[in-house]
């Protein structure tokens, strides 16, 4: 299990001389809160925008600014009185080199291999992956020199986050704004997870409750919040998988680093899932797909009358039955996992669904409990396998449940 991908990871956070340096303080704080060990390295220009003390306070670690400042070696295997050379020590210890904000100037230095300050020397000396969040005026970003430098860096394996479009420090609107710290943090998770145990795997996850239209303004839906499906998508992403998330409407933001397909109805979900799961390693169906939809969708809003209104419901497509047929043809996902949300006879109903839908694994979920199922951050599930085994998991966060499911899926794929 790999619950917290940032925990105890050593991140060298390079901060360069742009106005967005103030946002880097928030990023450093969020990374530290997520359990990362953050060593901030500032260029001389960056120290003109934000004081190193701010970063020292939020990371509770020394901030490095000077390539020539050798410091006493505190490593346990160091000989008495030995000194550390900062760019070598930081380059070796880093799991990730994250530069946010990255100025046009620093991008140019990185692309050309210059090492005239501590940050650029670390970039040259490290084998850690490089994640860069550029920030500059639109003209500087659009300049062919900057574009060529960025292309060179990406070609060498660097990952880019942003820049976003919006309000710039000059007061203008355009492309060049540093991505928000939360998005950068998510990309750090993606980059750190790239060599995880699910690297190279292609996973499909469904989430949310479908909406079945009654008329142009009304629909039938259910209480699914999408939280379990989104947790599954993020957990697989953090372990290096390529993830397609097919989701019915939810209040959750699109996850960074995941291919998200937005759908509304069960019929749309069917189409998106069948096309995404063709040849995938696994499909995990955490969506609450409507079993019934109105037989006819009224073209105009149905008017209120004195009499009762009767809706005739018909079946929606059975997505898992169609997935099972695809698998018989040698297409479809290698492993299929379902969820059984029940309010009574949980295990009997779940086992029936496992067999009837020809699943490899089902997570049986008593949605009548206040701390499990819909809309909460925790879940209590029993995992039933096609081979007849049952494992009742204790109350866990949805993130932990997700990782446990991926552990099981990973073994099933290898079988
Ligand atoms: C007020 C002000 C704001 C600046 N903002 C940016 C910026 O957002 N992006 C950028 O690339 N350069 C910006 N610059 C220019 C850089 O600070 C300058 O190119 C500097 O040499 C960058 O050094 P560094 O890359 O070593 O940090 C700004 C300069 C000033 C005076």
């Amino acid at each position: 299990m790999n619950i917290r991908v940032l925990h105890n990871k050593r991140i060298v956070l390079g901060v360069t001389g742009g106005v967005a340096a103030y946002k880097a303080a928030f990023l450093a704080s969020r990374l530290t809160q997520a359990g990362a060990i953050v060593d901030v390295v500032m260029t001389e220009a960056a120290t003109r925008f934000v004081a190193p003390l701010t970063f020292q306070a939020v990371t509770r670690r020394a901030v490095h600014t000077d390539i020539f400042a050798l410091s006493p070696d505190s490593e346990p295997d160091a000989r008495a009185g030995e000194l550390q050379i900062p760019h070598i020590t930081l380059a070796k210890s880093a799991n990730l080199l994250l530069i946010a904000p990255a100025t046009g100037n620093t991008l140019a230095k990185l692309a050309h291999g210059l090492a005239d300050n501590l940050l650029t020397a670390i970039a040259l000396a490290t084998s850690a992956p490089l994640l860069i969040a550029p920030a500059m005026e639109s003209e500087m970003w659009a300049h062919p020199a900057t574009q060529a430098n960025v292309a060179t860096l990406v070609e060498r394996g660097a990952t880019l986050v942003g820049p976003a479009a919006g309000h710039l420090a000059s007061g203008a609107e355009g492309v060049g704004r540093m991505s928000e710290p939360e998005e950068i943090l998510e990309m750090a998770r993606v980059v750190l997870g790239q060599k995880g145990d699910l690297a190279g795997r292609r996973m499909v996850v469904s989430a949310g409750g479908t909406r079945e239209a009654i008329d142009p303004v009304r629909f039938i839906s259910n209480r699914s919040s999408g939280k379990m499906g989104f947790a599954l998508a993020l957990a697989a992403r953090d372990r290096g998988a390529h993830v397609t998330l097919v989701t019915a409407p939810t209040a959750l933001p699109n996850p960074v680093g995941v291919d998200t397909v937005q759908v509304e109805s069960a019929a749309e979900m069917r189409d998106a899932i069948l096309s995404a799961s063709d040849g995938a390693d696994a499909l995990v169906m955490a969506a609450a797909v409507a079993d019934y939809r109105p037989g006819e969708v009224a073209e105009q809003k149905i008017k209120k009358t004195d009499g009762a209104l009767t809706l005739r419901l018909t079946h929606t497509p059975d997505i898992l039955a169609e997935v099972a047929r695809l698998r018989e043809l040698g297409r479809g996902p290698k492993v299929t996992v379902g969820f059984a949300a029940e309010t009574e006879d949980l295990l009997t109903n779940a086992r029936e669904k496992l067999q009837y839908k020809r699943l490899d694994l089902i997570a049986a979920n008593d949605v009548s409990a206040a701390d499990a199922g819909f809309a909460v951050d925790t879940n209590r599930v029993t995992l039933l396998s096609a081979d007849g085994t049952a494992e009742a998991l204790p109350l866990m966060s949805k993130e932990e449940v997700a990782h446990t499911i991926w552990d099981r899926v990973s073994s099933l794929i290898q079988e």
Side-chain angles (χ1 to χ4, degrees), residues 104 162 241 260 271 289:
T260 304
D271 293 349
V289 183

Side-chain angles (χ1 to χ4, degrees), residues 15-20 43-46 49 102-106 109 117 135-137 140:
V15 182
T16 68
V19 180
T43 61
E44 199 275 319
F49 290 85
T103 56
N105 176 56
T106 291
K109 290 186 187 179
N117 62 28
M136 64 201 75
E137 288 298 307
M140 291 174 80

Side-chain angles (χ1 to χ4, degrees), residues 210-339:
T210 60
R211 290 178 174 180
E212 308 303 326
I214 297 170
D215 67 17
V217 298
R218 303 182 179 94
F219 55 80
I220 300 174
S221 192
N222 57 65
R223 295 185 188 279
S224 171
S225 64
K227 284 185 173 179
M228 191 62 242
F230 277 59
L232 280 155
L234 289 175
R237 176 205 74 178
D238 283 353
R239 291 165 70 162
H242 175 277
V243 182
T244 305
L245 173 67
V246 179
T247 179
T250 71
L252 304 170
N254 273 359
V256 173
V258 166
D259 280 344
T260 304
V261 183
Q262 302 279 355
V263 297
E264 272 214 27
S265 64
E268 285 173 23
M269 183 160 277
R270 169 201 171 273
D271 293 349
I273 286 185
L274 292 186
S275 97
S277 58
D278 191 353
D281 288 290
L283 165 66
V284 182
M285 283 286 286
V289 183
D291 293 320
Y292 294 96
R293 64 174 173 81
E296 288 100 40
V297 182
E299 267 182 40
Q300 304 298 335
K301 182 181 167 193
I302 299 172
K303 289 285 166 217
K304 184 177 175 183
T305 62
D306 290 339
L309 173 69
T310 304
L311 288 175
R312 198 182 58 81
L313 302 180
T314 60
H315 276 118
T316 53
D318 185 339
I319 300 175
L320 282 171
E322 293 193 44
V323 169
R325 269 199 296 281
L326 260 188
R327 293 175 81 190
E328 275 165 17
L329 298 171
R331 291 160 55 204
K334 288 196 194 103
V335 172
T336 315
V337 181
F339 273 75

Side-chain angles (χ1 to χ4, degrees), residues 327-369:
R327 293 175 81 190
E328 275 165 17
L329 298 171
R331 291 160 55 204
K334 288 196 194 103
V335 172
T336 315
V337 181
F339 273 75
E342 302 288 348
T343 54
E344 57 182 1
D345 299 331
L346 175 65
L347 295 184
T348 314
N349 286 330
R351 188 156 294 287
E352 254 173 37
K353 184 171 176 184
L354 173 83
Q355 284 158 1
Y356 163 65
K357 305 265 188 185
R358 281 171 283 172
L359 303 171
D360 300 292
L361 189 70
I362 194 161
N365 201 181
D366 180 356
V367 290
S368 62

